[in-house]
């Protein structure tokens, strides 16, 4: 077997993901080992799916591929995910549907539209500040700030507290520890939870606290794990934004095309291409509920199955020239936001935010260029830059 320097055993090596070598490996696996067994080590044993159709099939058959035992690979030493069986992402039907329904209104198209003016004003102010600084760290100054403020807004965090929340969640994210282990952050959410018990409110925290699920209110643990689930999952949006701005900086012809064709509908296809290209969620995990066969390989009940999302999104049997960043790509049925019952609940919000960001960049910025240090994240769960310095040059200078 020749897979350059990289073999399927390296899939659990964050360095291979950080260097981008993993794309070469996934390309080889899609062709030669699309359903591959990864022997246990620090991580439990798992099957890898790398082809688009197989990944889509697993997402769309939750009765066979369950989310209830966790959706991310965790070192065996850590034991089961504390949210297993308790939060929206980590439950199966019918509980999953009920938990999703509890807060769904906050993530609807109607809600996104009602927040659009506020979101656009914030994006404009964040981009203006970055342009005035000349160079900025696209991760902290743009991506994380926009995604953290957005989830804070949905949860009902007071505007004055949003910068503090950003600092706490940046710390938690950088340390790689679960948000629940970060005392000030959790204390803040605990106070907010009790406040909503006293005075109900029409925000996601109010819905967690006051809307019944299958006839009962959630326990305090379920509420706090639900909040953590939302805050953690929304980090993906910040990474996609940061990696998307970087991609525009390193593809000047695509950026010029966006500027020229903004009014011709290119922004709509550009949003989808940025999501496909950046694929900031690296994997989803499932557990087989029964024996099943994929591409002739027998997966036993109880086996873990890992769906490698960026691999699906570069599958050459689905995407023409998948390694080309093409803002006009159509069709573009990427799986960056998952699909099926667990499809990203934040997807409407994430798409609106990305569209407004692209429009604002076109309005305010003439040139986007890499301007110094850039460090990739070392993770098998999310991918994108850890930090990256870019220069945004104002239009008209
Ligand atoms: C570009 C941005 C985003 C990407 C790439 C992304 C990616 C994903 C993916 C791949 C899934 C499916 C997971 C699975 O099936 O196991 C998912 C689910 C989820 N996402 Fe996102 N996400 C993004 C933005 C957001 C935002 C902004 C929020 C919150 C405001 C959010 C909250 C969630 C939640 C709660 C789920 C679980 C839904 C369920 O299990 O029913 N995501 N996301």
């Amino acid at each position: 077997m020749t897979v350059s320097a990289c073999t399927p055993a390296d899939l659990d090596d964050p360095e291979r993901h950080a260097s981008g070598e993993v794309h070469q490996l996934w390309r080889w696996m899609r062709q030669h080992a699309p359903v591959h067994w990864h022997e246990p080590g620090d991580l439990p044993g798992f099957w890898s799916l790398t082809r688009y159709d197989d990944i889509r099939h697993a997402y769309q058959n939750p009765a066979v591929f369950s989310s209830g035992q966790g959706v991310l690979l965790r070192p065996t030493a850590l034991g089961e995910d504390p949210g297993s069986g308790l939060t929206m992402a980590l439950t199966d039907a019918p509980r999953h549907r009920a938990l999703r329904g509890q807060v769904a209104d906050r993530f609807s198209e109607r809600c996104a539209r009602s927040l659009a003016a506020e979101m656009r004003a914030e994006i404009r102010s964040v981009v203006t500040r970055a342009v005035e600084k000349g160079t900025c760290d696209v991760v902290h100054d743009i991506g994380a700030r926009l995604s953290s403020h957005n989830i804070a807004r949905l949860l009902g965090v007071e505007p004055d507290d949003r910068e503090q929340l950003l600092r706490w969640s940046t710390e938690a994210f950088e340390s790689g520890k679960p948000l629940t282990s970060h005392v000030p952050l959790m204390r803040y959410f605990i106070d907010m939870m009790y406040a909503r018990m006293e005075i109900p409110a029409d925000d996601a925290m109010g819905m967690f606290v006051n809307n019944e699920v299958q006839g009962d209110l959630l326990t305090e643990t379920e509420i706090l794990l639900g909040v953590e689930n939302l805050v953690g999952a929304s980090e993906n949006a910040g990474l996609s934004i940061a990696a998307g701005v970087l991609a525009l900086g390193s593809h000047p012809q695509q950026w010029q095309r966006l500027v020229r064709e903004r009014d011709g509908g290119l922004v709509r296809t550009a949003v989808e291409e940025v999501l496909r290209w950046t694929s900031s969620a690296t994997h989803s995990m499932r557990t087989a509920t029964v024996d099943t066969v994929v591409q002739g390989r027998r997966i036993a009940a109880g086996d873990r199955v890992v769906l490698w999302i960026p691999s699906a999104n570069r599958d050459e049997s689905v995407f023409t020239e998948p390694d080309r960043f093409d803002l006009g790509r159509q069709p573009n049925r990427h799986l960056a936001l998952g699909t099926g019952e667990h499809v990203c609940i934040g997807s409407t919000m994430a798409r609106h935010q990305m569209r407004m960001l692209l429009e604002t960049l076109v309005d305010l910025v003439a040139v986007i260029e890499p301007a110094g240090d850039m460090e990739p994240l070392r993770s098998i769960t999310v991918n994108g830059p850890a930090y990256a310095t870019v220069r945004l040059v104002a239009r008209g200078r």
Side-chain angles (χ1 to χ4, degrees), residues 59 89 96 100 233 236-237 240 275 280 284 286 336-338 342 344-345:
Y59 270 133
H96 166 254
R100 194 165 162 125
N236 274 308
S240 279
L275 290 171
S280 59
S284 293
R286 297 293 189 258
L337 300 155
H342 286 274
C344 177
I345 197 171

Side-chain angles (χ1 to χ4, degrees), residues 50-342:
T50 44
R51 285 190 186 165
Y52 180 97
D53 286 344
D54 296 335
I55 290 175
R56 193 162 185 276
H57 169 79
Y59 270 133
Q60 296 199 333
N61 285 280
V64 177
F65 298 97
S66 155
S67 296
Q69 289 77 41
V71 294
L72 295 176
L73 277 167
R74 279 166 68 85
T76 316
L78 288 184
E80 207 183 331
D81 193 313
S84 292
L86 297 178
T87 63
M88 183 195 318
L90 278 66
T91 40
D92 298 315
R95 182 80 182 159
H96 166 254
R97 223 163 284 164
L99 283 166
R100 194 165 162 125
Q102 186 194 31
V103 290
D105 185 56
R106 226 36 214 158
F107 296 92
S108 62
E109 180 65 36
R110 185 193 58 76
C111 186
R113 282 178 195 274
S114 74
L115 294 174
E118 196 186 324
M119 284 169 73
R120 191 180 283 283
E122 175 174 52
I123 291 170
R124 206 176 166 87
S125 121
V126 164
V127 172
T128 302
R129 217 173 316 144
V131 168
E132 283 168 1
K133 275 173 73 178
T135 60
C136 71
D137 172 5
V138 71
V139 178
H140 295 100
D141 294 337
I142 301 184
R145 171 157 282 115
L146 291 178
S147 68
S148 171
H149 284 192
N150 196 36
I151 188 62
R153 184 180 301 120
L154 294 175
L155 278 167
V157 171
E158 293 297 333
D160 284 352
D161 293 345
R162 290 180 192 162
E163 277 295 303
Q164 180 59 59
L165 193 79
L166 168 64
R167 281 193 288 277
W168 284 330
S169 34
T170 305
E171 257 169 49
F173 195 49
E174 279 171 354
S175 73
K177 292 200 183 124
L179 300 180
T180 36
S181 67
H182 287 259
V183 175
L185 185 66
M186 289 323 283
R187 196 169 288 145
Y188 183 88
F189 287 134
I190 290 169
D191 288 347
M192 211 177 149
M193 172 176 75
Y194 289 136
R196 293 296 179 277
M197 287 176 185
E198 295 288 319
I199 307 172
D202 182 26
D203 50 38
M205 181 61 96
M207 291 176 176
F208 275 129
V209 168
N210 296 306
N211 290 0
E212 290 187 353
V213 176
Q214 296 176 306
D216 287 311
L217 292 175
L218 296 187
T219 63
E220 294 182 4
T221 304
E222 285 172 321
I223 294 169
L224 293 170
L225 286 169
V227 171
E228 187 207 19
N229 185 198
L230 283 185
V231 176
S234 69
E235 301 277 7
N236 274 308
L239 290 176
S240 279
I241 287 172
V245 175
L246 279 182
L248 293 170
S250 55
H251 295 81
Q253 287 180 342
Q254 290 297 315
W255 165 245
Q256 287 309 326
R257 188 179 167 200
L258 185 65
V259 172
R260 276 195 318 273
E261 297 179 37
R262 172 223 166 118
D263 296 329
L266 196 71
V267 172
R268 189 179 50 78
T269 54
V271 167
E272 299 309 319
E273 182 65 346
V274 168
L275 290 171
R276 181 191 77 93
W277 186 256
T278 59
S279 287
S280 59
T282 310
H283 77 263
S284 293
M285 191 184 78
R286 297 293 189 258
T287 304
T289 56
V290 291
D291 291 357
T292 186
V293 174
V294 182
Q295 300 289 346
R297 303 293 306 266
R298 186 179 155 279
I299 294 176
D303 284 354
R304 291 176 179 80
V305 183
V306 171
L307 325 181
W308 295 106
I309 302 169
S311 176
N313 286 343
R314 300 281 181 107
D315 187 328
E316 37 292 284
S317 72
V318 175
F319 300 97
T320 313
E321 293 188 72
D323 296 325
R324 197 156 66 86
F325 182 56
D326 172 7
L327 295 183
R329 182 178 292 280
Q330 281 193 83
N332 191 352
R333 285 187 279 276
H334 63 79
L335 299 177
L337 300 155
T339 177
E341 286 191 355
H342 286 274

Side-chain angles (χ1 to χ4, degrees), residues 330-394:
Q330 281 193 83
N332 191 352
R333 285 187 279 276
H334 63 79
L335 299 177
L337 300 155
T339 177
E341 286 191 355
H342 286 274
V343 67
C344 177
I345 197 171
S347 60
T348 305
M349 215 54 94
R351 285 188 160 109
H352 275 280
Q353 196 178 35
M354 188 70 83
R355 179 177 51 75
M356 290 188 238
L357 174 70
L358 296 180
E359 289 168 352
T360 306
L361 287 171
V362 169
D363 284 346
L364 301 182
V365 176
V367 178
I368 303 175
E369 56 191 13
D373 293 349
M374 132 72 171
E375 191 64 33
L377 284 172
R378 290 181 163 68
S379 163
I380 65 166
T381 306
V382 284
N383 73 84
Y387 65 84
T389 314
V390 294
R391 179 175 298 112
L392 302 182
V393 181

